[in-house]
Amino acid sequence: MKKICTAFVAFLCFNGLASAQKITQVKEVLDAEKEYNRVTAQKGIRDGMLAVADPEAMVFKPEPVLAKTYYAESGKIAGKLTSAPKIARISANGDLAFTAGPYTIKNGTDDASFGEYLSIWRTDLSGKLKLLFNINMEHPEPKQEQTVDFKDAATSPRIQSKDPFNGRTIITTTDKLFNTSLGFSALSAYKEFLALDGRYYFPGFEPMVGQDKILQFINNQAISIEALNTGSGRAVSGDLAYSYGKAKIKKGTITNNYNYIRIWEPDKSHKWNILVEIFSPIEK
């Protein structure tokens, strides 16, 4: 009888462990975005956004502002929006995710604008993914198809943290360190902090994928970057994070202002690397 009880307890423990290590599927955030696209197609850009937005959701128009405030005052937004994620991740515990890819807004048969977007999603109290951040940048009509990169979360979190403020502090500190490094050399900073499969969204250009291509672009453009962190967040499971702020990018005698968002992902040594970075122009 004792052996049976021991075996039963072991069975329960095994099931509990298997449950704890259940893979969070990236399909969850892809489904959330699919629903956003469906609602947007039916109700328009404004109501589509409000239908999926977290109460604290921010949009950059061009300054960061609460989505509910911006869209409540904007009225109906003309044009038909279509978007298609090309990269997506979700945290091991499912509380944080992001999608990014191309978008098109059509205002008629011939009038269209093209660009890239990045959306950050987090779960609400009911466990449903809601849109927390949305940012975009424009470029000419794309000439090449982007590679698709969707990955499920790891079978178990890399770092468990019961203190979300501590986790956020680590990301903020890392982001500030990267910004400081940019002040000395943009090329060296990206070489140190950018993931090998990183993606770079720079206004006026199609997305760049891969550290080598991004470093070549930064070198060819001969740009200098000054950036200031204004916020960050991290999944409780410690395997996905984001940071955002403002940047001044100088090329020659011309300086332009931008908002930025960076998606961070730890490597096998737990070093945080930039997986995605997007710049959105701040109009003067």
Side-chain angles (χ1 to χ4, degrees):
M1 182 68 179
K2 185 177 180 181
K3 289 182 178 179
I4 294 175
C5 291
T6 302
F8 182 69
V9 171
F11 174 78
L12 290 178
C13 290
F14 175 80
N15 277 333
L17 180 62
S19 176
Q21 293 185 343
K22 181 180 179 182
I23 298 175
T24 305
Q25 296 184 337
V26 74
K27 182 178 181 295
E28 295 177 27
V29 69
L30 295 175
D31 286 344
E33 180 151 310
K34 187 180 296 183
E35 174 63 14
Y36 167 55
N37 287 332
R38 185 189 68 80
V39 176
T40 299
Q42 288 184 346
K43 299 183 178 181
I45 297 174
R46 173 185 177 274
D47 292 339
M49 173 65 74
L50 291 175
V52 302
D54 184 273
E56 297 179 355
M58 303 287 289
V59 291
F60 296 78
K61 296 294 184 177
E63 294 288 344
V65 60
L66 282 173
K68 60 183 180 181
T69 300
Y70 175 79
Y71 286 104
E73 297 174 352
S74 66
K76 186 176 181 179
I77 300 176
K80 181 180 179 181
L81 171 67
T82 57
S83 60
K86 295 299 181 181
I87 182 171
R89 295 286 191 278
I90 191 166
S91 62
N93 65 331
D95 66 335
L96 186 67
F98 86 91
T99 52
Y103 75 84
T104 303
I105 298 179
K106 291 186 177 181
N107 292 304
T109 55
D110 298 323
D111 186 13
S113 59
F114 305 90
E116 305 295 321
Y117 74 93
L118 185 148
S119 294
I120 298 175
W121 303 76
R122 76 174 179 187
T123 51
D124 60 14
L125 294 177
S126 68
K128 186 175 182 180
L129 284 168
K130 305 292 283 186
L131 189 61
L132 181 62
F133 284 93
N134 180 256
I135 189 171
N136 60 72
M137 64 87 175
E138 290 189 13
H139 59 61
E141 184 173 1
K143 297 180 180 179
Q144 57 187 11
E145 184 68 20
Q146 295 183 42
T147 57
V148 175
D149 183 7
F150 301 153
K151 289 182 182 177
D152 293 331
T155 54
S156 60
R158 294 180 184 274
I159 307 165
Q160 281 286 359
S161 173
K162 295 182 179 179
D163 183 358
F165 296 102
N166 181 55
R168 187 181 303 165
T169 299
I170 292 172
I171 298 305
T172 300
T173 301
T174 304
D175 195 61
K176 288 181 177 180
L177 178 60
F178 175 64
N179 287 341
T180 299
S181 300
L182 284 173
F184 293 102
S185 168
L187 197 63
S188 297
Y190 279 104
K191 188 174 183 179
E192 174 65 25
F193 286 87
L194 187 65
L196 293 177
D197 57 347
R199 298 200 177 203
Y200 200 60
Y201 298 98
F202 197 88
F205 295 85
E206 291 188 52
M208 287 149 271
V209 181
Q211 189 188 80
D212 289 344
K213 288 184 178 180
I214 296 168
L215 293 179
Q216 184 179 14
F217 171 81
I218 292 170
N219 185 56
N220 291 343
Q221 292 295 311
I223 57 177
S224 61
I225 305 174
E226 294 181 15
L228 176 68
N229 173 277
T230 55
S232 59
R234 194 184 81 166
V236 174
S237 48
D239 55 343
L240 191 65
Y242 64 87
S243 61
Y244 60 96
K246 297 181 182 298
K248 289 184 178 181
I249 300 181
K250 184 177 181 181
K251 181 178 181 179
T253 59
I254 301 175
T255 300
N256 290 310
N257 297 316
Y258 300 85
N259 292 302
Y260 75 80
I261 289 184
R262 297 173 185 139
I263 300 296
W264 297 82
E265 195 175 50
D267 60 21
K268 292 181 179 180
S269 67
H270 304 306
K271 175 181 175 291
W272 286 96
N273 298 309
I274 299 171
L275 180 62
V276 179
E277 182 172 39
I278 185 171
F279 291 97
S280 181
I282 299 177
E283 298 174 2
K284 295 181 180 179

